């Protein structure tokens, strides 16, 4: 506002003081000046009249008799300066009355005449500026209220109206001054709401839009820079005014486009965001401040989002709900939803990162409500956004990583609705618990047994190396007194024993913080989620899923689970004579689970990788997921798949983005690695799998000849592979559908009836096999089932070639996982050591070898098949009953089965997280950090259902519930196996461990420094820690091994973290329950 | 695996290790200084050889089993947290008329006082000490010893020890808790049991001559109360001590206690975290609350 005075010359005069000057003298001076001004004005005023003031709007040109001489203009300006100064300095009159000068101004219509004078002088930009600044100065410095007086207010409104008109935009100077003035007016308005009446009134008088002040601000809502900021501030002032004045609220919602402008503005700004982000590292997973600050469009969008947030916070409820409605229906649904379903992985990844950033930026619960209900309840192509997002966690691309980060944000909101949809609605039925476990839910583990069980999983060799025989009780006693101080934590550099356990105290401390945060945050939740409140039956009836769909889904799941529980791996004792083969043969359950990270949305990525060999089956896997669940994949997913498939095949030329061959090869390599990973993981996991599922198989194996037993085992393995795949496919499929609505169910039915759907079920193989496939496992049938699925590939978009492949071929081939494992097995039996890394390195060689071995494989397979006919009688009998039944009936039965068995299913989200955790050794460091971080975050929630599910280490009565502890056990076995083959590995891990701990402590140290130094925390997490690097260089770990080495370290640290969380839960004071 | 692999293993071989730790903790005890954390300050006493919470048989050699070292080092954490959990449970129980406070020197020793508000022992204020075995929760049940032997059939007239074991013949981890012991200590003053007494005189009197028993009890209560302002029997920073009412000291404390009760919920430090919920109680549906912002 000082700018104004510079022009008007106020600066010079303000130093003068009128104190002590007689008010009457001032008045005389003022009148004198005014008479001088009037003389000049009248000279150029052809038809002086009150109406003239308004006629400029209709025909301003007619009013201009000719240019005003410069000297006269400047004379007027000088006089006016003096006058304004006198006016501003005038004190309020006696008893709040107008001072004499103001009264004179009002009576004489001084302001209006001055405005008209500006118009006479052709009303150039300069005139406007002059006028605007004049008012700015008056408003900011006058000692008595001016706006109450119509003769002051009216010309002001006319000025505003004339500035707002089209074509007045030149260089933005006027705009800036206009907005500044508007801002001032709003401030005045808030200070003295009684002026409001006049504002409305005045606007009506002159026929302009009601509440002109507000209407003028709207166009600047989304403006960048300080002008926009000022306008938004001004608008916010009016918004806060609206909260107390319903008339303002009514006007805004009914007569202005404020809310639509705001919401569609978001859409507009969103469309200007980069559709793809150039990501600088594979570990990148979210938009940190340092990232988005580099993208002006994003900064701008966030400002506007922030503004929406602020408006919802302060505005009248009617405005708030209107705005939120427009944001939901004008931005989220029409813009963000399609953006989340774009065609390329990169675009989707970018949108996901945006969504994550938006969620992190919104502070206002009401706005967050809109975003969250969009995520949780909105369906795009009949799929809930949430389900789509969950399924993407499993994608192998960076999209998966970014999705993990998004869920980290979501979980960090401590929003009951989110947690209900993600986790609790699957846990509330308590089907994953036995009755005893359920009643023990609220009890706390006061003996640290869970913590002990978790820590027991720490790989012993690294503990041995690292801990040495350090004094075990040192850390509790903590001689320096409760110290988590830096001096202690960096003690390792003094050559003292390695502080592996020192950081256990940190974990305890963090866990305590996290738990108390979560406890406080969930105080306002609607219920305790402790197995009794809400009662277990609630979530079934009350689920978003219609009863039928849910039942159906559960049925499908239990079917899968039934397979799982029956498909027991051979008892470990039976395997022990042939340890080497036990490494190569694998249990499909684990395989498929481990592989699930790759398959959910990307099942058919492999489709044409090995056209003659594997494609049919792999394709079967992909399509089966659709047909099996009787729910077709929504188009967007199909398209994404297609795109990804093209991408991976290197034939993606649809758009120019992916011409970069390197990228394509990268992706291919990624895929290949994943294949090798699968193989490794399935080998490693099998033992643990066997350990909790044996005993059921044992009786059948007893009392047979050795050969029989061996054969049996072999075929059991095979069956479990196939069945496991099937099971997982189903469960994932179910996971995808978890939240779908009824229409979908209907659609599902239609699809089932469609030609090329169910009817061809009977096509080509006998009903017995089919039935068994439907309900229980059998290797042959499973393959036949896949054949069926393959032929049912109704979607012409997805590789029609597959549909043509003959069934017999399919039966002979197995999926790639299977294949790899058998390949390895064969290699070993031929005396060669199959190295996975080799496999991944040379696809061509690999394929050649694969082809060479295929023959043998088929032979062996037929051997497997023929040898399998015992041990399954019961199942078969049961299966036989259903031979003649139609699909619908079968489904009903399964549903009943589901009721019988209690249907343990803990939801797609948990299942996806555990799947990613199972891939620990193969994940990138970023992914592992996110996955373990998410799980720890979840484990810190105090709700007994979740807490006990994640932290309980009891062996479950229901073996088909996969728990975190089980996954960790299998992970441990995997690691041990891996290390057993690599004697030098522990040393690497130790080095890496030291390095990471040092780095961690270094960053803690820096945090300390930063928080001490009271500067605004600009640097983000990405900024590399030069200090740490200088102190302790990263050990020379071969790049290929790096992520695996770090994964092992992370595994052990994660165990500590979980143990700490478990321990802190046992001592947390749950004030909520009591108070 | 059985239910709890870690704790349920039998106990012999880790004794060697404990011997080491004993030395260690002996040192650290001397260096101890008051601590910042509310619970972190407790020092565990030296762990005797025959009491090891870490009880995995150490069959060294194979890597799978040599994890003993790792877990031995966490053993103290388990003990500490078990005790913390017990103390938390005591707080949650809000036992009427019973106050306990762990010792400054050892988390295995808790000081307590019990106020008897009616019955034969009315107006009795009995100070006591709870001794928790250092292999808790796998050992014997904790001991409870009254500072002054109360005249009671179940209280040893010489040592003041309460016969706790009759109520907890076998201490079962995760089922038995220290608050139950405290509760039991309170119960005996309201419901008198004379079978197999530690104080046969009291038992006989109660059976044969209740009047005399009563007068003896009154005497005992008087005696205890007359020693109320004595220095604590055990010298410890957190021992419970009584002093006569001194307005200068106690008035303010009392004030604080009463105002503290009505403190706002979030007296917590740290950034205020507000959770979100639009779930209508009892509905288990997201966004079912009526006051949710409308979604057109």
């Amino acid at each position: 506002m000082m700018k104004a005075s510079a022009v008007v010359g106020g600066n010079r005069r303000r130093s003068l003081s009128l104190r002590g000057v007689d008010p009457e003298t001032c008045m005389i001076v003022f009148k004198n000046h005014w008479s001088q001004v009037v003389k000049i004005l009248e000279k150029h005023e052809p038809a002086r009249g009150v109406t003239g003031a308004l006629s400029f709007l209709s025909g301003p040109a007619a009013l201009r008799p000719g240019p005003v001489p410069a000297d006269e203009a400047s004379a007027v300006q000088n006089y006016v300066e003096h006058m304004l100064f006198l006016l501003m300095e005038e004190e309020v009159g006696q008893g709040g009355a107008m001072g004499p000068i103001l009264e004179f101004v009002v009576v004489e219509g001084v302001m209006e005449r001055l405005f008209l004078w500006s118009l006479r002088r052709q009303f150039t930009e300069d005139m406007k500026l002059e006028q605007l600044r004049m008012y700015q100065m008056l408003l900011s410095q006058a000692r008595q209220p001016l706006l109450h007086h119509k003769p002051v207010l009216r010309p002001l409104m006319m000025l505003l109206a004339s500035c707002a008109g089209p074509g007045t935009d030149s260089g933005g100077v006027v705009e800036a001054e206009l907005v500044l003035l508007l801002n001032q007016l709003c401030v005045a308005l808030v200070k003295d709401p009684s002026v409001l009446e006049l504002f409305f009134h005045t606007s009506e008088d002159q026929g302009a839009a009601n509440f002109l002040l507000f209407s003028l601000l709207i166009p600047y809502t989304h403006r960048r820079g300080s002008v926009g900021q000022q306008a938004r501030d001004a608008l916010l002032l009016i918004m806060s005014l609206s909260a107390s004045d319903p008339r303002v609220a009514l006007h805004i919602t009914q007569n202005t486009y404020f809310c639509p402008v705001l919401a569609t503005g978001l859409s507009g700004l969103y469309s200007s965001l980069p559709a793809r982000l150039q990501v600088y590292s594979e570990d990148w997973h979210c938009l940190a401040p340092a990232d988005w600050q580099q993208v002006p469009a994003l900064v701008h969008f966030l400002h506007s989002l922030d503004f929406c947030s602020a408006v919802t916070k302060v505005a009248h409820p009617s405005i708030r709900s209107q705005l939120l409605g427009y944001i939901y229906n004008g931005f989220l649904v029409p813009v963000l939803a399609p953006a989340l379903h774009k065609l390329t992985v990169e675009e989707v990844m970018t949108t996901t990162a945006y969504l994550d950033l938006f969620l992190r930026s919104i502070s206002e619960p009401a706005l967050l409500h809109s975003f969250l209900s969009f995520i949780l309840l909105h369906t795009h192509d009949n799929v809930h956004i949430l389900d789509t997002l969950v399924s993407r966690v499993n994608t192998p691309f960076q999209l998966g990583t970014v999705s993990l980060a998004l869920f980290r944000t979501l979980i960090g909101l401590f929003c009951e609705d989110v947690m209900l949809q993600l986790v609790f609605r699957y846990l509330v039925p308590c089907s994953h618990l036995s009755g005893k476990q359920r009643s023990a839910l609220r009890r706390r583990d006061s003996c640290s047994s869970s913590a002990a069980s978790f820590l027991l999983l720490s790989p012993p060799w690294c503990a041995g190396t690292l801990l040495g025989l350090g004094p075990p009780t040192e850390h509790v006693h903590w001689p320096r007194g409760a110290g988590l101080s830096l001096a202690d934590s960096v003690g390792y550099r003094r050559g003292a024993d390695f502080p592996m356990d020192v950081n256990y105290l940190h974990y305890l401390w963090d866990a305590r913080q996290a738990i108390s945060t979560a406890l406080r945050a969930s105080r306002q939740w609607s219920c305790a989620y402790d197995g009794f409140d809400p009662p277990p039956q609630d979530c079934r009836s009350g689920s978003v899923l219609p009863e039928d769909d849910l039942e159906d889904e559960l049925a499908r799941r239990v079917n899968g689970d039934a397979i799982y529980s029956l498909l027991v791996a051979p008892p470990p004792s039976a395997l022990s004579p042939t340890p080497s083969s036990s490494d190569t043969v694998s249990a499909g359950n684990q395989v498929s689970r481990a592989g699930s990270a790759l398959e959910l949305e990307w099942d058919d990525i492999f489709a044409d990788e090995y056209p003659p060999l594997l494609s049919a089956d792999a394709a079967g896997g992909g399509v089966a997921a659709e047909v099996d669940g009787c729910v077709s994949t929504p188009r967007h997913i199909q398209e994404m798949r297609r795109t990804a498939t093209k991408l991976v095949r290197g034939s993606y030329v649809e758009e120019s983005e992916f011409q970069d061959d390197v990228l394509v090869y990268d992706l291919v390599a990624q895929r290949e690695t994943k294949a090798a990973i699968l193989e490794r993981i399935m080998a490693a996991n099998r033992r643990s799998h066997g350990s909790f599922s044996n005993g059921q198989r044992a009786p059948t194996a007893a009392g047979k000849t050795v050969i029989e037993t061996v054969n049996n085992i072999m075929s059991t393995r095979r069956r479990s592979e196939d069945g496991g795949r099937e099971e997982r496919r189903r469960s994932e499929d179910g996971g995808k559908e978890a939240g779908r609505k009824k229409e979908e169910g209907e659609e599902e039915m239609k699809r089932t009836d469609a030609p090329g759907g169910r009817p061809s079920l009977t096509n080509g193989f006998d009903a017995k096999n089919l039935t068994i496939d439907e309900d229980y496992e059998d290797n042959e049938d499973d393959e036949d089932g896949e054949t069926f699925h393959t032929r049912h590939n109704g979607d012409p978009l997805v590789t029609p070639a597959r549909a043509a492949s003959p069934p017999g071929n399919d039966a002979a081939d197995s999926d790639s996982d299977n294949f790899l494992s058998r390949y390895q097995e064969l290699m070993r039996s031929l005396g060669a050591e199959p190295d996975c890394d080799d496999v991944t390195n040379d696809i061509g060689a690999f394929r050649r070898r694969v082809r060479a071995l295929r023959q043998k494989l088929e032979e062996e397979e037929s051997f497997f098949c023929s040898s399998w006919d015992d041990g399954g009688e019961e199942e078969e009998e049961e299966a036989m009953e259903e031979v003649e039944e139609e699909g619908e009936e079968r489904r009903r039965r399964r549903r009943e089965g589901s009721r019988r068995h209690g249907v343990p299913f803990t939801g797609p989200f948990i299942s996806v997280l555990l799947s990613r955790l199972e891939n620990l050794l193969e994940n990138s460091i970023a992914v592992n950090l996110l996955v373990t971080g998410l799980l720890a975050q979840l484990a810190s929630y105090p709700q007994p259902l979740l807490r006990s599910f994640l932290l309980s280490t009891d062996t479950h009565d229901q073996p088909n519930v996969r728990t975190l502890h089980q996954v960790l056990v299998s992970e441990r076995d995997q690691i041990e196996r891996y290390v057993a083959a690599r004697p030098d590995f522990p040393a690497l891990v130790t080095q890496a461990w030291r390095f990471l701990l040092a780095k961690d402590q270094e960053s803690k140290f820096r945090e300390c420094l930063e928080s001490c130094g009271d500067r605004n925390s600009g640097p983000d997490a990405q900024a590399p820690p030069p200090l740490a690097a200088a102190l302790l260089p990263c050990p020379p770990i071969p790049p290929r091994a790096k992520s695996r080495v770090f994964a092992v370290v992370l595994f052990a640290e994660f165990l500590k973290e979980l143990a700490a969380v478990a321990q802190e839960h046992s001592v947390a004071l749950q004030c909520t329950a009591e108070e | 695996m059985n239910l709890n692999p870690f704790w349920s293993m039998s106990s012999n071989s880790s004794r060697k290790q404990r011997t080491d730790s004993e030395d260690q903790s002996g040192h650290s005890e001397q260096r101890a200084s008051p601590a910042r954390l509310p619970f972190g300050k407790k020092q565990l006493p030296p762990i005797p050889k025959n009491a090891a919470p870490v009880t995995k048989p150490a069959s060294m050699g194979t890597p799978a089993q040599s994890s003993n070292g790792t877990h031995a080092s966490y053993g103290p954490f388990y003990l500490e947290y078990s005790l913390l959990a017990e103390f938390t449970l005591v707080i949650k129980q809000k036992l009427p008329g019973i106050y306990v406070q762990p010792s400054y020197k050892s988390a295995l020793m808790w000081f307590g006082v019990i106020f008897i508000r009616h019955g034969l022992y009315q107006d009795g204020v009995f100070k006591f000490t709870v001794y928790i075995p250092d292999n808790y929760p796998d050992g014997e049940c904790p001991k409870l010893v009254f500072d002054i032997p109360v005249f009671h059939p179940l209280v040893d007239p010489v040592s003041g020890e309460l016969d706790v074991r009759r109520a907890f013949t076998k201490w079962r981890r995760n089922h038995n808790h220290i608050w139950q012991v405290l509760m039991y200590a309170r119960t005996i003053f309201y419901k008198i049991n004379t079978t197999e007494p530690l104080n046969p005189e009291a038992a006989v009197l109660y059976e044969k001559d209740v009047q005399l028993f009563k007068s003896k009890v009154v005497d005992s209560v008087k005696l205890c109360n007359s020693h109320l302002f004595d220095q604590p029997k055990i010298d410890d920073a957190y021992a419970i001590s009584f002093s006569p009412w001194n307005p200068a000291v106690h008035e303010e404390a009392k004030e604080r206690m009463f105002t503290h009760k009505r403190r706002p919920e979030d007296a917590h430090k740290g950034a205020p975290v507000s959770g979100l919920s639009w779930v209508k109680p009892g509905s288990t549906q997201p966004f079912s609350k009526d006051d949710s912002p409308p979604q057109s």
Side-chain angles (χ1 to χ4, degrees), chain A residues 28 193 204 265 280 317 591 601 692 701 883 1011 1032:
Chain A
I28 292 165
E204 278 162 19
Y280 45 81
V591 176
E601 280 195 354
F692 65 81
V883 167
S1011 62
L1032 230 136

Side-chain angles (χ1 to χ4, degrees), chain A residues 320-321 324-325 328-329 365-366 368-370 372-373 376-377 413-417 420-421 428 436 443-453 455-458 460-461 463-464 467 471-485 500-501 504-505 508-509 512-513 516-517 520-527 529 534 538-539 541-544 953-955 965 972 976 1056 1063-1064 1066-1070 1074-1075, chain B residues 1-7 9 17-18 20-22 24-25 28-29 31-47 56 63-67 69-86 88-89 91-94 136-137 173-177 263 265-266 268-289 292-296:
Chain A
R320 178 172 61 208
S321 65
L324 292 176
Y328 192 90
N329 295 308
L368 208 50
H369 175 280
S370 293
L372 292 177
S373 66
L376 299 187
L377 301 181
L413 292 174
F414 298 105
C415 174
E416 182 177 9
D417 308 65
L420 182 63
Q421 292 301 86
V428 164
K436 198 174 137 227
R443 200 183 307 148
R444 297 200 266 182
D445 168 31
S446 57
C447 304
S448 298
S449 356
S450 295
S453 304
L455 291 171
L456 198 65
L457 294 177
S458 300
W461 43 270
L467 283 172
T473 57
E474 179 78 288
H475 307 304
V476 181
H477 290 272
W478 210 246
R480 282 159 293 262
L484 293 181
S485 76
M500 301 302 285
D501 289 348
Y504 189 66
L505 282 178
L508 286 170
W509 178 250
R512 161 168 294 219
Q513 299 291 99
S516 80
T517 300
R520 270 178 289 142
S522 48
R523 258 180 214 173
Q524 44 180 303
W525 283 24
S526 75
C527 48
Y529 299 100
D538 260 27
C539 255
S541 51
S543 166
V544 169
T953 52
D954 290 357
T955 43
H965 186 247
R972 207 271 295 258
E976 270 182 19
K1056 284 195 224 167
Q1063 288 202 304
E1064 283 295 341
S1066 71
V1067 300
L1069 267 178
Q1070 279 158 330
E1074 267 87 327
E1075 265 122 86
Chain B
M1 252 186 210
N2 63 33
L3 202 106
N4 195 325
F6 180 68
W7 292 98
M9 304 272 185
Q17 211 153 3
R18 285 294 136 194
D20 295 341
S21 66
E22 187 178 347
Q24 280 301 326
S25 47
S28 53
E29 207 160 359
R31 280 176 282 158
S33 61
R36 278 178 265 140
L37 300 176
F39 295 117
K41 54 202 153 204
K42 298 292 172 305
Q43 296 280 319
L44 299 181
I47 294 169
K56 194 176 174 185
Q65 283 160 320
S66 67
S67 55
T70 326
H71 303 99
S73 66
Y74 288 107
F77 284 113
Y78 302 150
L79 177 56
E80 179 126 337
Y81 272 77
S82 294
L83 294 172
L84 278 175
E86 287 297 338
T88 313
L89 283 174
I91 293 170
K92 280 183 76 174
Q93 293 301 322
K94 298 192 163 92
Y136 189 87
R173 67 188 340 263
N174 249 334
H175 286 274
N176 292 130
H177 296 290
R263 90 205 120 127
E265 271 205 337
D266 278 59
H268 244 279
K269 57 190 184 303
V273 183
S274 58
L276 299 166
S277 173
W278 292 281
V279 181
K280 191 173 157 192
S283 82
T284 65
Q285 290 280 358
F287 305 110
S288 49
K289 247 184 203 172
S292 305
Q295 217 58 258
S296 91

Side-chain angles (χ1 to χ4, degrees), chain A residues 11 62 133 173 278 305 368 416 505 557 688 694 706 890:
Chain A
N11 260 351
R133 284 165 183 163
V173 191
Q278 290 291 319
L305 189 64
L368 208 50
E416 182 177 9
L505 282 178
R557 201 165 301 289
S688 70
N694 63 27
V706 177
R890 204 173 292 125

Side-chain angles (χ1 to χ4, degrees), chain A residues 27 30-31 34 99-110:
Chain A
M27 181 65 191
F30 188 89
K31 278 185 175 169
W34 177 241
I101 297 178
L102 177 57
E103 194 174 355
F104 182 82
V105 167
V106 167
V107 170
E108 290 291 308
V110 171

